[in-house]
Amino acid sequence: MPIPKDAPKMERISAKQRALEQIQRWIIEGTLRPGEKILDCEMAEALGVSRTPVREALQILEMQGFVEMHPGSATRVTPIRREDVYKIYPPLAALEATAAELAADRVTEEDIRSLRLTNEKFADALGKKSFYEALILDEQFHQTILEAADNPYLTSFITTLQMHVRRFKYVFIRRAVVSPGRSIEEHAMIIDALESRDKEKAARVMKQNWLRPMREIADRLQREEGEGQEGE
């Protein structure tokens, strides 16, 4: 496996959580590629922990949909499938739009300042091609709106779905398949709509902010599938 040799060694306390976060990041960044085999002994050595926290982390990652584990067979990174894009993005877009609509009534001036600053950092990270940093900042942007919406049920559902789109967003932003410039513009439009308490516009642009990359990613995957069939 192409695991970096300089991976930080971990303390025994919270080893499972740290292993979980690091393996998840390697999967999202593409260090561990779709379909790649994961050996818990190699992973444990790379992270400087025993095999037990690695196995526990892999079990959580399986529940999150990042890896596939089969008894008596290898653990592998979950493939990126085109049909999953259509299953995950539309419900997330609808929920995020609802969150934006609710937030328009509750957002504070401090929230608006935070959103503008986060979007500026997001644009800067994209400009530097720091894609993982950009991914985290994008999540912070949406999290601020979700917190303003103040609905624990929305938070629960959205958090679960966002876990699944993380890898899509990182892989395809890095490959210049989606339009990061459009995301920056849409963020700015959402902020303006929230500041003016325009619930309908906030919801509409938020939904667009999720469905546009869905279409771009699905189109790219379809083209890649077609190219693969032609090469057979």
Side-chain angles (χ1 to χ4, degrees), residues 84-99:
D84 291 336
V85 177
Y86 292 112
K87 293 177 181 177
I88 295 170
Y89 272 87
L92 180 56
L95 291 169
E96 288 272 4
T98 300

Side-chain angles (χ1 to χ4, degrees), residues 39-99:
L39 301 176
D40 56 9
C41 56
E42 290 186 10
M43 190 66 68
E45 182 179 357
L47 297 175
V49 298
S50 69
R51 294 168 69 176
T52 297
V54 170
R55 288 171 177 169
E56 292 173 344
L58 290 174
Q59 289 172 351
I60 295 173
L61 289 167
E62 181 185 29
M63 290 188 291
Q64 293 176 344
F66 284 106
V67 303
E68 296 176 343
M69 302 176 71
H70 304 284
S73 183
T75 296
R76 295 185 181 275
V77 178
T78 305
I80 293 178
R81 303 180 178 94
R82 181 161 58 96
E83 59 267 26
D84 291 336
V85 177
Y86 292 112
K87 293 177 181 177
I88 295 170
Y89 272 87
L92 180 56
L95 291 169
E96 288 272 4
T98 300

Side-chain angles (χ1 to χ4, degrees), residues 11-161:
E11 300 293 335
R12 187 169 183 81
I13 298 175
S14 75
K16 180 181 73 173
Q17 183 62 32
R18 295 191 183 187
L20 172 65
E21 292 175 358
Q22 185 61 70
I23 298 170
Q24 186 187 79
R25 176 166 181 164
W26 278 336
I27 292 172
I28 292 169
E29 290 180 332
T31 300
L32 296 172
R33 298 179 179 279
E36 183 168 353
K37 182 188 298 185
I38 297 178
L39 301 176
D40 56 9
C41 56
E42 290 186 10
M43 190 66 68
E45 182 179 357
L47 297 175
V49 298
S50 69
R51 294 168 69 176
T52 297
V54 170
R55 288 171 177 169
E56 292 173 344
L58 290 174
Q59 289 172 351
I60 295 173
L61 289 167
E62 181 185 29
M63 290 188 291
Q64 293 176 344
F66 284 106
V67 303
E68 296 176 343
M69 302 176 71
H70 304 284
S73 183
T75 296
R76 295 185 181 275
V77 178
T78 305
I80 293 178
R81 303 180 178 94
R82 181 161 58 96
E83 59 267 26
D84 291 336
V85 177
Y86 292 112
K87 293 177 181 177
I88 295 170
Y89 272 87
L92 180 56
L95 291 169
E96 288 272 4
T98 300
E101 186 175 358
L102 292 173
D105 287 331
R106 300 172 173 84
V107 71
T108 65
E109 292 183 4
E110 183 179 351
D111 291 331
I112 295 297
R113 286 195 295 271
S114 177
L115 288 168
R116 292 196 189 282
L117 178 60
T118 301
N119 198 34
E120 290 173 4
K121 291 180 178 179
F122 174 65
D124 183 59
L126 287 172
K128 295 185 299 185
K129 299 189 183 302
S130 300
F131 298 118
Y132 192 84
E133 179 186 357
L135 172 64
I136 298 303
L137 288 165
D138 184 53
E139 291 180 354
Q140 288 178 4
F141 178 89
H142 289 279
Q143 183 63 30
T144 298
I145 296 172
L146 188 55
E147 289 174 0
D150 192 25
N151 186 309
Y153 298 100
L154 273 177
T155 299
S156 177
F157 294 138
I158 287 174
T159 299
T160 299
L161 288 170

